[in-house]
PDB file of all heavy atoms in Angstrom:
ATOM      1  N   PHE G1013      75.273  85.012  83.892  1.00 96.00           N
ATOM      2  CA  PHE G1013      76.074  86.134  83.327  1.00 96.00           C
ATOM      3  C   PHE G1013      75.710  86.245  81.830  1.00 96.00           C
ATOM      4  O   PHE G1013      75.894  85.264  81.098  1.00 96.00           O
ATOM      5  CB  PHE G1013      77.622  85.780  83.342  1.00 96.00           C
ATOM      6  CG  PHE G1013      78.298  85.693  84.669  1.00 96.00           C
ATOM      7  CD1 PHE G1013      78.323  84.425  85.357  1.00 96.00           C
ATOM      8  CD2 PHE G1013      78.982  86.756  85.131  1.00 96.00           C
ATOM      9  CE1 PHE G1013      79.013  84.383  86.564  1.00 96.00           C
ATOM     10  CE2 PHE G1013      79.723  86.662  86.373  1.00 96.00           C
ATOM     11  CZ  PHE G1013      79.689  85.450  87.036  1.00 96.00           C
ATOM     12  N   LEU G1014      75.209  87.398  81.442  1.00 97.00           N
ATOM     13  CA  LEU G1014      74.912  87.654  80.012  1.00 97.00           C
ATOM     14  C   LEU G1014      76.250  88.182  79.411  1.00 97.00           C
ATOM     15  O   LEU G1014      76.777  89.224  79.937  1.00 97.00           O
ATOM     16  CB  LEU G1014      73.774  88.589  79.891  1.00 97.00           C
ATOM     17  CG  LEU G1014      72.482  88.145  80.578  1.00 97.00           C
ATOM     18  CD1 LEU G1014      71.359  89.175  80.249  1.00 97.00           C
ATOM     19  CD2 LEU G1014      72.077  86.726  80.107  1.00 97.00           C
ATOM     20  N   THR G1015      76.685  87.563  78.368  1.00 97.00           N
ATOM     21  CA  THR G1015      78.060  87.914  77.890  1.00 97.00           C
ATOM     22  C   THR G1015      77.989  87.825  76.301  1.00 97.00           C
ATOM     23  O   THR G1015      77.118  87.241  75.742  1.00 97.00           O
ATOM     24  CB  THR G1015      79.097  87.028  78.457  1.00 97.00           C
ATOM     25  OG1 THR G1015      80.408  87.469  77.996  1.00 97.00           O
ATOM     26  CG2 THR G1015      78.913  85.588  78.097  1.00 97.00           C
ATOM     27  N   ALA G1016      79.111  88.337  75.693  1.00 97.00           N
ATOM     28  CA  ALA G1016      79.265  88.113  74.198  1.00 97.00           C
ATOM     29  C   ALA G1016      79.678  86.712  74.026  1.00 97.00           C
ATOM     30  O   ALA G1016      80.225  86.055  74.842  1.00 97.00           O
ATOM     31  CB  ALA G1016      80.302  89.106  73.765  1.00 97.00           C
ATOM     32  N   GLY G1019      82.769  85.455  75.423  1.00 95.00           N
ATOM     33  CA  GLY G1019      83.221  86.471  76.333  1.00 95.00           C
ATOM     34  C   GLY G1019      83.325  85.898  77.799  1.00 95.00           C
ATOM     35  O   GLY G1019      82.825  84.755  78.109  1.00 95.00           O
ATOM     36  N   TYR G1020      83.967  86.693  78.603  1.00 94.00           N
ATOM     37  CA  TYR G1020      84.016  86.341  80.044  1.00 94.00           C
ATOM     38  C   TYR G1020      82.675  86.226  80.650  1.00 94.00           C
ATOM     39  O   TYR G1020      81.759  86.951  80.373  1.00 94.00           O
ATOM     40  CB  TYR G1020      84.732  87.550  80.772  1.00 94.00           C
ATOM     41  CG  TYR G1020      84.915  87.456  82.282  1.00 94.00           C
ATOM     42  CD1 TYR G1020      85.995  86.745  82.862  1.00 94.00           C
ATOM     43  CD2 TYR G1020      83.916  87.966  83.056  1.00 94.00           C
ATOM     44  CE1 TYR G1020      86.078  86.697  84.155  1.00 94.00           C
ATOM     45  CE2 TYR G1020      84.003  87.868  84.456  1.00 94.00           C
ATOM     46  CZ  TYR G1020      85.127  87.251  84.960  1.00 94.00           C
ATOM     47  OH  TYR G1020      85.249  87.057  86.287  1.00 94.00           O
ATOM     48  N   PRO G1021      82.449  85.147  81.530  1.00 94.00           N
ATOM     49  CA  PRO G1021      83.362  84.166  82.009  1.00 94.00           C
ATOM     50  C   PRO G1021      83.224  82.830  81.313  1.00 94.00           C
ATOM     51  O   PRO G1021      83.696  81.793  81.856  1.00 94.00           O
ATOM     52  CB  PRO G1021      82.955  84.128  83.491  1.00 94.00           C
ATOM     53  CG  PRO G1021      81.458  84.128  83.380  1.00 94.00           C
ATOM     54  CD  PRO G1021      81.127  85.091  82.280  1.00 94.00           C
ATOM     55  N   SER G1022      82.789  82.820  80.112  1.00 92.00           N
ATOM     56  CA  SER G1022      82.560  81.551  79.444  1.00 92.00           C
ATOM     57  C   SER G1022      83.906  80.792  79.200  1.00 92.00           C
ATOM     58  O   SER G1022      83.946  79.546  78.953  1.00 92.00           O
ATOM     59  CB  SER G1022      81.804  81.703  78.075  1.00 92.00           C
ATOM     60  OG  SER G1022      82.623  82.395  77.171  1.00 92.00           O
ATOM     61  N   TRP G1032      76.396  81.045  82.597  1.00 95.00           N
ATOM     62  CA  TRP G1032      76.595  82.181  81.710  1.00 95.00           C
ATOM     63  C   TRP G1032      75.774  81.875  80.466  1.00 95.00           C
ATOM     64  O   TRP G1032      75.379  80.758  80.164  1.00 95.00           O
ATOM     65  CB  TRP G1032      78.051  82.419  81.256  1.00 95.00           C
ATOM     66  CG  TRP G1032      78.700  81.147  80.891  1.00 95.00           C
ATOM     67  CD1 TRP G1032      79.420  80.240  81.689  1.00 95.00           C
ATOM     68  CD2 TRP G1032      78.775  80.656  79.531  1.00 95.00           C
ATOM     69  NE1 TRP G1032      79.924  79.258  80.964  1.00 95.00           N
ATOM     70  CE2 TRP G1032      79.576  79.434  79.661  1.00 95.00           C
ATOM     71  CE3 TRP G1032      78.316  80.986  78.350  1.00 95.00           C
ATOM     72  CZ2 TRP G1032      79.819  78.593  78.575  1.00 95.00           C
ATOM     73  CZ3 TRP G1032      78.565  80.180  77.201  1.00 95.00           C
ATOM     74  CH2 TRP G1032      79.310  78.943  77.420  1.00 95.00           C
ATOM     75  N   LYS G1057      72.576  90.109  85.480  1.00 97.00           N
ATOM     76  CA  LYS G1057      74.063  90.302  85.546  1.00 97.00           C
ATOM     77  C   LYS G1057      74.615  90.292  84.154  1.00 97.00           C
ATOM     78  O   LYS G1057      74.292  89.428  83.330  1.00 97.00           O
ATOM     79  CB  LYS G1057      74.682  89.163  86.363  1.00 97.00           C
ATOM     80  CG  LYS G1057      76.300  89.224  86.378  1.00 97.00           C
ATOM     81  CD  LYS G1057      76.709  89.698  87.705  1.00 97.00           C
ATOM     82  CE  LYS G1057      78.270  89.842  87.719  1.00 97.00           C
ATOM     83  NZ  LYS G1057      78.861  88.735  88.641  1.00 97.00           N
ATOM     84  N   VAL G1058      75.444  91.268  83.913  1.00 98.00           N
ATOM     85  CA  VAL G1058      76.067  91.403  82.495  1.00 98.00           C
ATOM     86  C   VAL G1058      77.577  91.555  82.689  1.00 98.00           C
ATOM     87  O   VAL G1058      78.054  92.099  83.725  1.00 98.00           O
ATOM     88  CB  VAL G1058      75.563  92.705  81.817  1.00 98.00           C
ATOM     89  CG1 VAL G1058      76.071  92.794  80.458  1.00 98.00           C
ATOM     90  CG2 VAL G1058      74.004  92.734  81.848  1.00 98.00           C
ATOM     91  N   THR G1059      78.334  91.102  81.742  1.00 97.00           N
ATOM     92  CA  THR G1059      79.793  91.302  81.833  1.00 97.00           C
ATOM     93  C   THR G1059      80.213  92.217  80.758  1.00 97.00           C
ATOM     94  O   THR G1059      79.854  92.194  79.633  1.00 97.00           O
ATOM     95  CB  THR G1059      80.587  89.975  81.756  1.00 97.00           C
ATOM     96  OG1 THR G1059      80.444  89.399  80.431  1.00 97.00           O
ATOM     97  CG2 THR G1059      80.067  88.964  82.733  1.00 97.00           C
ATOM     98  N   ALA G1060      81.253  93.071  81.106  1.00 97.00           N
ATOM     99  CA  ALA G1060      81.983  93.987  80.201  1.00 97.00           C
ATOM    100  C   ALA G1060      83.431  93.785  80.531  1.00 97.00           C
ATOM    101  O   ALA G1060      83.969  94.441  81.487  1.00 97.00           O
ATOM    102  CB  ALA G1060      81.472  95.343  80.339  1.00 97.00           C
ATOM    103  N   HIS G1061      84.138  92.907  79.890  1.00 97.00           N
ATOM    104  CA  HIS G1061      85.496  92.559  80.238  1.00 97.00           C
ATOM    105  C   HIS G1061      86.387  92.898  79.040  1.00 97.00           C
ATOM    106  O   HIS G1061      86.237  92.452  78.007  1.00 97.00           O
ATOM    107  CB  HIS G1061      85.577  91.075  80.537  1.00 97.00           C
ATOM    108  CG  HIS G1061      86.799  90.578  81.177  1.00 97.00           C
ATOM    109  ND1 HIS G1061      88.094  90.903  80.660  1.00 97.00           N
ATOM    110  CD2 HIS G1061      86.997  89.924  82.384  1.00 97.00           C
ATOM    111  CE1 HIS G1061      89.041  90.319  81.469  1.00 97.00           C
ATOM    112  NE2 HIS G1061      88.398  89.750  82.481  1.00 97.00           N
ATOM    113  N   PRO G1065      86.039  89.098  73.990  1.00 96.00           N
ATOM    114  CA  PRO G1065      84.865  89.619  73.302  1.00 96.00           C
ATOM    115  C   PRO G1065      83.904  90.260  74.242  1.00 96.00           C
ATOM    116  O   PRO G1065      83.631  89.732  75.363  1.00 96.00           O
ATOM    117  CB  PRO G1065      84.316  88.368  72.654  1.00 96.00           C
ATOM    118  CG  PRO G1065      85.345  87.347  72.729  1.00 96.00           C
ATOM    119  CD  PRO G1065      86.264  87.703  73.780  1.00 96.00           C
ATOM    120  N   ARG G1066      83.325  91.372  73.862  1.00 95.00           N
ATOM    121  CA  ARG G1066      82.300  91.984  74.733  1.00 95.00           C
ATOM    122  C   ARG G1066      81.100  92.471  73.880  1.00 95.00           C
ATOM    123  O   ARG G1066      81.240  92.739  72.726  1.00 95.00           O
ATOM    124  CB  ARG G1066      82.880  93.067  75.581  1.00 95.00           C
ATOM    125  CG  ARG G1066      83.515  94.277  74.923  1.00 95.00           C
ATOM    126  CD  ARG G1066      84.615  94.708  75.960  1.00 95.00           C
ATOM    127  NE  ARG G1066      84.380  96.126  76.240  1.00 95.00           N
ATOM    128  CZ  ARG G1066      85.389  96.999  76.175  1.00 95.00           C
ATOM    129  NH1 ARG G1066      86.656  96.642  75.896  1.00 95.00           N
ATOM    130  NH2 ARG G1066      85.153  98.248  76.444  1.00 95.00           N
ATOM    131  N   LEU G1067      80.053  92.625  74.609  1.00 97.00           N
ATOM    132  CA  LEU G1067      78.757  93.037  73.900  1.00 97.00           C
ATOM    133  C   LEU G1067      78.923  94.443  73.488  1.00 97.00           C
ATOM    134  O   LEU G1067      79.423  95.298  74.222  1.00 97.00           O
ATOM    135  CB  LEU G1067      77.624  92.883  74.923  1.00 97.00           C
ATOM    136  CG  LEU G1067      77.240  91.476  75.346  1.00 97.00           C
ATOM    137  CD1 LEU G1067      76.287  91.500  76.515  1.00 97.00           C
ATOM    138  CD2 LEU G1067      76.636  90.683  74.109  1.00 97.00           C
ATOM    139  N   LEU G1072      74.123  96.129  75.161  1.00 98.00           N
ATOM    140  CA  LEU G1072      73.988  96.383  76.669  1.00 98.00           C
ATOM    141  C   LEU G1072      72.796  97.151  76.938  1.00 98.00           C
ATOM    142  O   LEU G1072      72.102  96.919  77.924  1.00 98.00           O
ATOM    143  CB  LEU G1072      75.303  97.073  77.076  1.00 98.00           C
ATOM    144  CG  LEU G1072      76.551  96.326  77.466  1.00 98.00           C
ATOM    145  CD1 LEU G1072      77.611  97.307  77.973  1.00 98.00           C
ATOM    146  CD2 LEU G1072      76.209  95.300  78.592  1.00 98.00           C
ATOM    147  N   ILE G1075      69.657  95.239  76.883  1.00 98.00           N
ATOM    148  CA  ILE G1075      69.489  94.437  78.078  1.00 98.00           C
ATOM    149  C   ILE G1075      68.969  95.268  79.231  1.00 98.00           C
ATOM    150  O   ILE G1075      68.004  94.837  79.902  1.00 98.00           O
ATOM    151  CB  ILE G1075      70.840  93.728  78.443  1.00 98.00           C
ATOM    152  CG1 ILE G1075      71.254  92.755  77.420  1.00 98.00           C
ATOM    153  CG2 ILE G1075      70.810  93.114  79.865  1.00 98.00           C
ATOM    154  CD1 ILE G1075      72.640  92.177  77.554  1.00 98.00           C
ATOM    155  N   VAL G1087      73.283  94.498  87.156  1.00 98.00           N
ATOM    156  CA  VAL G1087      74.556  94.538  87.768  1.00 98.00           C
ATOM    157  C   VAL G1087      75.628  94.166  86.698  1.00 98.00           C
ATOM    158  O   VAL G1087      75.420  93.193  85.963  1.00 98.00           O
ATOM    159  CB  VAL G1087      74.698  93.448  88.884  1.00 98.00           C
ATOM    160  CG1 VAL G1087      76.033  93.542  89.566  1.00 98.00           C
ATOM    161  CG2 VAL G1087      73.527  93.512  89.808  1.00 98.00           C
ATOM    162  N   VAL G1088      76.624  95.038  86.615  1.00 98.00           N
ATOM    163  CA  VAL G1088      77.607  94.814  85.591  1.00 98.00           C
ATOM    164  C   VAL G1088      78.994  94.399  86.220  1.00 98.00           C
ATOM    165  O   VAL G1088      79.483  95.067  87.203  1.00 98.00           O
ATOM    166  CB  VAL G1088      77.939  96.090  84.730  1.00 98.00           C
ATOM    167  CG1 VAL G1088      78.927  95.857  83.627  1.00 98.00           C
ATOM    168  CG2 VAL G1088      76.611  96.577  84.084  1.00 98.00           C
ATOM    169  N   HIS G1089      79.558  93.355  85.721  1.00 98.00           N
ATOM    170  CA  HIS G1089      80.968  93.049  86.009  1.00 98.00           C
ATOM    171  C   HIS G1089      81.807  93.828  84.997  1.00 98.00           C
ATOM    172  O   HIS G1089      81.883  93.429  83.803  1.00 98.00           O
ATOM    173  CB  HIS G1089      81.253  91.521  85.845  1.00 98.00           C
ATOM    174  CG  HIS G1089      82.724  91.238  85.985  1.00 98.00           C
ATOM    175  ND1 HIS G1089      83.256  90.660  87.122  1.00 98.00           N
ATOM    176  CD2 HIS G1089      83.750  91.376  85.126  1.00 98.00           C
ATOM    177  CE1 HIS G1089      84.587  90.487  86.940  1.00 98.00           C
ATOM    178  NE2 HIS G1089      84.911  90.879  85.689  1.00 98.00           N
ATOM    179  N   ALA G1090      82.391  94.972  85.420  1.00 98.00           N
ATOM    180  CA  ALA G1090      83.139  95.922  84.501  1.00 98.00           C
ATOM    181  C   ALA G1090      84.614  95.729  84.942  1.00 98.00           C
ATOM    182  O   ALA G1090      84.966  95.922  86.017  1.00 98.00           O
ATOM    183  CB  ALA G1090      82.671  97.327  84.711  1.00 98.00           C
ATOM    184  N   GLU G1091      85.446  95.245  83.961  1.00 97.00           N
ATOM    185  CA  GLU G1091      86.803  94.956  84.193  1.00 97.00           C
ATOM    186  C   GLU G1091      87.620  95.491  83.048  1.00 97.00           C
ATOM    187  O   GLU G1091      87.552  94.999  81.832  1.00 97.00           O
ATOM    188  CB  GLU G1091      86.978  93.501  84.349  1.00 97.00           C
ATOM    189  CG  GLU G1091      88.466  93.133  84.620  1.00 97.00           C
ATOM    190  CD  GLU G1091      88.697  91.667  85.129  1.00 97.00           C
ATOM    191  OE1 GLU G1091      87.660  90.984  85.393  1.00 97.00           O
ATOM    192  OE2 GLU G1091      89.821  91.266  85.175  1.00 97.00           O
ATOM    193  N   THR G1095      85.408  99.990  80.420  1.00 98.00           N
ATOM    194  CA  THR G1095      84.182  99.180  80.723  1.00 98.00           C
ATOM    195  C   THR G1095      83.256  99.842  81.656  1.00 98.00           C
ATOM    196  O   THR G1095      82.055  99.691  81.639  1.00 98.00           O
ATOM    197  CB  THR G1095      84.518  97.745  81.216  1.00 98.00           C
ATOM    198  OG1 THR G1095      85.404  97.952  82.371  1.00 98.00           O
ATOM    199  CG2 THR G1095      85.364  96.933  80.219  1.00 98.00           C
ATOM    200  N   GLU G1098      81.134 102.172  79.639  1.00 98.00           N
ATOM    201  CA  GLU G1098      80.083 101.392  78.969  1.00 98.00           C
ATOM    202  C   GLU G1098      78.999 101.070  79.976  1.00 98.00           C
ATOM    203  O   GLU G1098      77.714 101.179  79.665  1.00 98.00           O
ATOM    204  CB  GLU G1098      80.697 100.122  78.432  1.00 98.00           C
ATOM    205  CG  GLU G1098      81.270 100.299  77.090  1.00 98.00           C
ATOM    206  CD  GLU G1098      81.896  98.897  76.614  1.00 98.00           C
ATOM    207  OE1 GLU G1098      81.605  97.887  77.247  1.00 98.00           O
ATOM    208  OE2 GLU G1098      82.568  99.018  75.629  1.00 98.00           O
TER     209      GLU G1098
END
Side-chain angles (χ1 to χ4, degrees):
F1013 292 89
L1014 303 184
T1015 186
Y1020 177 89
S1022 65
W1032 48 270
K1057 176 100 181 253
V1058 186
T1059 67
H1061 192 304
R1066 59 210 237 226
L1067 293 168
L1072 273 183
I1075 291 171
V1087 184
V1088 183
H1089 173 103
E1091 177 167 355
T1095 59
E1098 274 179 11

